[in-house]
């Protein structure tokens, strides 16, 4: 009996080694030189740094890694496992919300001797998985094993948008990013994060999201996951449910707001109770069952779809049940007056009299780290604006004496007039006809500049601060 067990162990070990050998032929190491934008001096680039990450080859010789591994790349190289030669590469598609990227290699001989890994299915809880990658601290391949311990919606790293995410106790460290998470020799996820303060907790992007990404880019464009544009609250209170005419069960969430450009705009209303999406019952806590006895955020339903697809719904309105369907074709849902732009979007700007103005974007908000968070509480006050302008800082010069300490403040008016967006703001500033120009912030405070002096000192100010252009190309 002992000999039989030993033989079984040896056979299993040989199979594992054979599987590892196949998977290794699909692994790559990614070398990236990044350069970030400088929002305090947007006419020039800011910090540059190098990083390494992991990637892998999947069907059709597609090379996959994390988006954060290649964002703002200035130079990109990859090498195969077991090979010392580095090949020049380029980013073909990026999804910041999924934290996924597809990269291409110029020299197609790179694929000689490689294999393409097949995509598997969403792993079950407690399913064994193996993570491959090149974590920091060494140059060689690292292989770790563990089980899937959790599967639920959570915020992704780059955008804080919520998608399904997998958790495993297999070690995932810096440098592992973009590496394959495998089960039964197939891809079940893409490694992308770990928790430095916790032992043996790592996160991976589930294979269904990778499949959605690959299917999305087949037409040569990346669109992303269609959103619903809804804000809701839970309905746990029996009294609240009774008042709304709901059954004594756990179904339904209360619609609090339908955002502008939502596919449900002019379809759903405040205080409607959303019961189902595509025949998936929604629990009072906003979850749906995505697998037997497993629940996650109900946005899972629309995130499985593509733009142009339809989605059915069931609601209770005024104690009466209604059904219908909408088309998921809205790509510009307006969730906030803070403009959403990608991390690779160069900052728009205007320098006028040494005052540096930029549109208020999510990227800028991330840089100032909560200093302007009150803007979210004043959404109603800014309802006339499709985009807000922020005075970033003042480049001290004769023309703006007295205002050198101003900065990081919302500008609401130019010479007493509101503007629509940043382009309209720039137009109003550049076409001012009065002797003085007055910039008013959201607290009613004013900055006053002499228009003739602004023009007279412009060239000298730009030379003094090495400003190559007084405005970004997109607003010229």
């Amino acid at each position: 009996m002992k000999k039989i067990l030993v033989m079984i162990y040896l056979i299993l070990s040989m199979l594992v080694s054979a599987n590892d050998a196949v998977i290794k032929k699909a692994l790559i190491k990614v070398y990236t030189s990044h350069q970030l934008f400088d929002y305090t001096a947007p006419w020039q680039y800011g910090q540059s740094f190098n990083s390494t990450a992991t990637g892998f080859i999947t069907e059709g010789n597609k090379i996959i890694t994390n988006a954060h591994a290649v964002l703002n790349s200035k130079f990109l190289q990859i090498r195969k496992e077991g090979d010392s030669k580095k090949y020049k590469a380029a980013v073909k598609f990026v999804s910041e919300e999924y934290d996924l990227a597809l990269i291409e290699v110029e020299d197609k001989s790179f694929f000689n001797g490689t294999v393409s890994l097949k995509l598997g299915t969403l792993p079950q809880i407690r399913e064994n998985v193996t993570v491959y990658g090149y974590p920091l601290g060494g140059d060689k391949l690292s292989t770790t094993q563990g089980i899937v311990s959790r599967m639920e919606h959570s915020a992704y790293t780059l955008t804080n948008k919520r998608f399904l995410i997998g958790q495993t106790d297999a070690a995932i460290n810096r440098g592992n990013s973009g590496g394959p998470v495998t089960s039964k020799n197939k891809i079940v996820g893409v490694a992308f994060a770990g928790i430095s303060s916790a032992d043996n907790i790592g996160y991976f992007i589930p294979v269904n999201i990778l499949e959605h990404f690959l299917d999305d880019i087949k037409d040569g464009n990346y669109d992303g996951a269609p959103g619903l544009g809804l804000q809701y609250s839970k309905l746990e209170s029996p009294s609240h449910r009774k008042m709304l005419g709901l059954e004594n069960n756990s179904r339904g969430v209360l619609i609090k707001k339908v955002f502008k450009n939502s596919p449900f705009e002019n379809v759903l209303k405040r205080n409607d109770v959303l019961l189902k999406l595509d025949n998936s019952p929604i629990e009072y806590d906003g979850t749906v069952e995505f697998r037997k006895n497993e629940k996650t955020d109900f946005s899972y339903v629309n995130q499985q779809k593509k733009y142009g697809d339809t989605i059915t719904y069931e609601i209770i309105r005024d104690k009466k049940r209604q059904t219908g369907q909408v088309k998921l074709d809205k790509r510009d849902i307006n969730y906030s007056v803070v403009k959403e732009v990608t991390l690779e979007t160069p900052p728009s700007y205007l320098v006028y009299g040494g005052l540096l103005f930029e549109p208020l974007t999510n990227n800028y908000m991330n840089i100032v780290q909560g200093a302007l968070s009150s803007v979210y509480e004043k959404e109603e006050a800014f309802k006339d604006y499709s985009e807000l302008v922020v005075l970033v800082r003042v480049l001290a010069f004769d023309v703006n004496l007295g205002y050198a300490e101003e900065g990081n403040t919302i500008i609401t008016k130019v010479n007493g007039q509101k503007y629509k967006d940043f382009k309209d703001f720039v137009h109003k500033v550049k076409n001012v006809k009065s002797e003085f120009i007055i910039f008013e912030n959201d607290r009613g405070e004013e900055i006053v500049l002499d228009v003739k002096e602004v023009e007279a000192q412009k060239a000298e100010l730009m030379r003094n601060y090495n400003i190559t252009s007084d405005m970004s190309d997109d607003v010229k």
Side-chain angles (χ1 to χ4, degrees):
M1 183 66 179
K2 187 175 182 180
K3 288 183 179 180
I4 293 174
L5 291 174
V6 171
M7 287 180 65
I8 292 173
Y9 174 78
L10 290 172
I11 292 170
L12 290 174
S13 298
M14 290 172 64
L15 288 173
V16 170
S17 297
N19 288 341
D20 276 351
V22 170
I23 291 174
K24 285 178 182 179
K25 290 182 179 180
L27 299 178
I28 65 168
K29 189 168 183 177
V30 181
Y31 301 83
T32 309
S33 296
H34 310 259
Q35 191 165 36
L36 303 179
F37 296 114
D38 186 350
Y39 280 79
T40 62
W43 51 88
Q44 63 188 22
Y45 276 100
Q47 177 189 3
S48 59
F49 63 96
N50 298 326
S51 73
T52 62
T54 307
F56 61 90
I57 305 168
T58 187
E59 296 168 270
N61 280 344
K62 296 182 178 69
I63 302 172
I64 298 296
T65 189
N66 281 145
H68 75 257
V70 295
L71 278 178
N72 300 106
S73 62
K74 290 298 179 182
F75 191 66
L76 183 63
Q77 291 179 298
I78 59 176
R79 72 167 174 83
K80 297 179 282 189
E81 166 59 18
D83 191 357
S84 59
K85 181 180 178 180
K86 295 178 182 177
Y87 294 76
K88 189 175 180 181
V91 180
K92 180 70 173 176
F93 294 102
V94 167
S95 168
E96 292 183 9
E97 57 184 353
Y98 293 154
D99 201 358
L100 290 172
L102 185 144
I103 58 181
E104 290 185 329
V105 62
E106 292 182 356
D107 185 352
K108 300 307 178 184
S109 68
F110 170 84
F111 293 105
N112 294 341
T114 64
V115 300
S116 296
L117 298 178
K118 292 185 177 182
L119 303 185
T121 57
L122 199 63
Q124 300 291 326
I125 302 301
R126 300 202 61 79
E127 183 172 330
N128 292 313
V129 293
T130 304
V131 180
Y132 296 85
Y134 300 92
L136 296 183
D139 190 52
K140 300 298 182 183
L141 177 67
S142 170
T143 304
T144 57
Q145 294 180 326
I147 63 167
V148 177
S149 52
R150 187 181 298 173
M151 194 76 69
E152 64 180 359
H153 266 63
S154 190
Y156 273 41
T157 311
L158 291 176
T159 64
N160 281 326
K161 292 183 179 179
R162 290 169 57 84
F163 295 97
L164 196 65
I165 194 170
Q167 180 179 311
T168 176
D169 60 358
I172 295 178
N173 301 305
R174 289 184 62 191
N176 271 117
S177 296
V181 179
T182 68
S183 177
K184 301 169 186 173
N185 222 24
K186 291 184 177 181
I187 302 294
V188 296
V190 181
F192 83 127
I195 299 180
S196 58
S197 60
D199 293 331
N200 298 326
I201 294 180
Y203 296 99
F204 63 89
I205 302 160
V207 67
N208 64 307
I209 289 180
L210 174 57
E211 284 180 313
H212 197 282
F213 172 68
L214 291 173
D215 186 54
D216 189 333
I217 61 178
K218 282 180 179 178
D219 62 357
N221 296 293
Y222 171 72
D223 298 310
L228 299 179
L230 301 174
Q231 185 181 67
Y232 72 92
S233 63
K234 299 177 182 180
L235 271 177
E236 185 177 6
S237 165
S239 299
H240 199 171
R241 296 180 65 82
K242 186 177 180 180
M243 183 190 75
L244 294 167
L246 296 178
E247 298 175 12
N248 187 25
N249 57 27
S250 61
R251 301 286 163 79
V253 292
L254 186 66
I255 300 300
K256 301 300 292 181
K257 185 175 183 179
V258 181
F259 290 97
K260 187 177 180 181
N261 296 333
S262 160
F264 285 98
E265 189 176 19
N266 301 319
V267 177
L268 298 187
K269 300 192 300 185
R270 179 181 171 86
N271 291 329
D272 284 346
V273 178
L274 184 59
L275 298 175
K276 289 182 181 179
L277 283 177
D278 270 4
N279 294 317
S280 293
I282 300 173
E283 300 292 323
Y284 72 78
D285 60 356
T287 62
V288 295
E289 188 175 69
F290 74 100
R291 285 194 304 207
K292 189 171 178 59
N293 297 323
E294 289 185 68
K295 290 185 170 66
T296 194
D297 194 288
F298 73 79
S299 60
Y300 175 84
V301 179
N302 56 283
Q303 288 170 0
Q304 304 308 298
K305 293 179 174 288
K306 296 186 293 186
Y307 282 100
D309 289 348
T310 58
I311 192 168
T312 62
Y313 65 88
E314 183 177 320
I315 64 169
I316 294 287
R317 176 182 295 169
D318 299 328
K319 299 185 180 182
K320 295 178 182 178
R321 195 174 298 261
Q322 297 183 21
T323 60
Q325 70 175 26
V326 296
K327 193 172 184 179
L328 298 173
D329 58 356
K330 302 293 187 180
R331 302 168 190 265
D332 55 350
I333 299 172
N334 189 5
Y335 289 100
S336 170
V337 73
V338 178
K339 185 179 180 181
E340 289 282 334
V341 297
T342 67
L343 291 167
E344 292 193 311
T345 301
S348 301
Y349 72 91
L350 168 69
V351 178
Y352 185 84
L355 277 61
L356 172 58
F357 300 103
E358 295 177 19
L360 185 63
T361 65
N362 54 313
N363 291 340
Y364 185 82
M365 293 291 279
N366 289 335
I367 290 170
V368 298
Q369 296 181 342
L372 290 173
S373 59
S374 62
V375 72
Y376 294 112
E377 302 165 8
K378 301 177 182 177
E379 291 277 352
E380 187 62 27
F382 299 131
K383 63 182 180 181
D384 295 333
Y385 302 83
S386 61
E387 196 172 85
L388 286 177
V389 173
V390 60
L391 171 61
V392 177
R393 65 179 179 127
V394 176
L395 308 171
F397 214 66
D398 288 341
V399 69
N400 56 53
L401 284 176
Y403 302 116
E405 302 303 316
E406 297 290 335
N408 200 29
T409 184
I410 302 298
I411 301 298
T412 56
K413 293 180 183 177
V414 179
N415 279 1
Q417 288 187 318
K418 293 181 179 180
Y419 53 86
K420 180 181 178 182
D421 52 24
F422 189 63
K423 285 186 178 181
D424 186 39
F425 171 84
V426 172
H427 177 77
K428 281 180 166 54
V429 172
K430 299 299 284 186
N431 290 279
V432 64
K433 304 298 183 184
S434 56
E435 181 180 0
F436 299 98
I437 188 168
I438 305 169
F439 299 100
E440 184 178 329
N441 67 20
D442 60 339
R443 298 186 300 274
E445 300 165 342
E446 297 179 339
I447 294 176
V448 181
L449 299 181
D450 185 309
V451 174
K452 286 185 178 179
E453 284 300 311
V454 169
E455 190 59 35
Q457 297 184 36
K458 177 180 175 180
E460 187 180 354
L461 186 149
M462 289 179 67
R463 280 195 301 271
N464 190 62
Y465 284 96
N466 294 314
I467 300 172
T468 52
S469 175
D470 66 335
M471 68 181 80
S472 54
D473 290 340
D474 62 313
V475 293
K476 283 184 178 178

